[in-house]
Amino acid sequence: MRQVIVAFERQSNCDRLREIIESGGEFSCVVCRSAAQVKRAVRKLRLDLVVCGFKLADESCESLFCDLPQRCSMLMIGPQAQLELCETEGIFKLQAPVRRSELLASVRLLAQLNRPGRDGEKNPAQRSPEERELVERAKAVLMDRHGMTEEQAHRFLQKQSMDNGARLTDTARLVLADQ
C-alpha cells in the first residue's frame, strides 16, 4: 500500500481527505499540518505525493513544492480564486469542493506518474523533445480554437488526462486528432 501525505492547516480538512483517499483501499495517508512536517515526512519516509491546500501554517504550498525533491508531485485543492494565484508549473490542481471520484482518480494518476509504468512510461519532467512538442502543439490548438491562455490550455490537458486516466501526451494526441 502506497503512502500519501495529506497536508492542510485545518485538522478537519486533513481528516475528511484522509478518509476519502483511504476509502479507495490503495493508499494510506500521513497527515501533516505544516510545511516542516511535510518536508520531514518526504525525507524520512521517502514519500513522493502530497495532497494539500493552498497554504499551511508556516508556508504556502507553492513555496513548499519548490523545496521538495523533484520526484515529488503535489495536488493542490482549493477555491478557484486561490488556485489561479498559484503560478508554479508542475503543481496539479483541483477546485474545491472536490468530488470523491475526482480526488481518487487524481491521486491514482499522480501515483502512476511518480513511478515508471510497466512499459517504461516517463515522468513528465523526462518527456522527450517530441513529446514536449506534441503537448505544445495541442496547447496551441486549444488556445487558437477556444481562446484559452497557455496556462488554461495546459490545465485543460492535465484535467482531461486525470479524468480519463490517460497520459498527458495521449490526451494531446486526441486534441490534435480532433482538429
Side-chain angles (χ1 to χ4, degrees):
M1 186 174 292
R2 293 204 51 194
Q3 288 188 305
V4 175
I5 296 172
V6 174
F8 288 85
E9 270 188 300
R10 295 177 54 201
Q11 185 65 43
S12 59
N13 289 342
C14 289
D15 293 341
R16 192 177 97 249
L17 288 167
R18 179 187 50 78
E19 183 180 311
I20 292 170
I21 292 169
E22 289 182 347
S23 74
E26 300 171 51
F27 303 96
S28 65
C29 296
V30 173
V31 173
C32 297
R33 304 243 341 258
S34 71
Q37 287 176 334
V38 171
K39 292 173 191 176
R40 275 194 302 277
V42 165
R43 189 178 64 249
K44 289 187 181 234
L45 302 173
R46 304 274 311 146
L47 301 181
D48 56 13
L49 179 53
V50 179
V51 177
C52 62
F54 182 72
K55 68 181 184 76
L56 296 167
D58 56 345
E59 193 173 347
S60 75
C61 289
E62 188 173 14
S63 175
L64 167 64
F65 180 71
C66 295
D67 291 340
L68 294 176
Q70 195 169 13
R71 65 181 163 76
C72 291
S73 293
M74 180 177 280
L75 176 63
M76 184 183 288
I77 301 172
Q80 185 63 34
Q82 286 182 338
L83 297 179
E84 288 174 1
L85 293 174
C86 177
E87 296 179 345
T88 303
E89 277 196 41
I91 296 177
F92 295 86
K93 301 167 191 146
L94 273 179
Q95 183 176 342
V98 63
R99 291 192 322 248
R100 178 186 185 278
S101 60
E102 284 181 334
L103 177 61
L104 289 174
S106 298
V107 170
R108 284 184 191 117
L109 179 64
L110 289 175
Q112 288 297 329
L113 291 175
N114 285 346
R115 71 174 158 216
R118 287 172 287 207
D119 60 353
E121 283 181 21
K122 296 179 200 130
N123 209 336
Q126 299 171 337
R127 283 195 190 102
S128 71
E130 294 81 19
E131 290 172 320
R132 285 193 298 271
E133 199 249 316
L134 179 74
V135 171
E136 291 302 317
R137 283 189 6 238
K139 287 194 294 188
V141 166
L142 291 169
M143 290 162 46
D144 184 52
R145 191 185 308 154
H146 299 288
M148 296 179 179
T149 66
E150 182 178 6
E151 183 178 336
Q152 289 170 331
H154 189 76
R155 284 186 193 165
F156 176 83
L157 289 171
Q158 284 178 329
K159 178 129 176 49
Q160 288 299 112
S161 297
M162 290 165 78
D163 288 350
N164 296 313
R167 294 179 61 218
L168 189 68
T169 52
D170 293 336
T171 303
R173 279 187 192 91
L174 288 174
V175 167
L176 292 171
D178 208 27
Q179 40 174 343

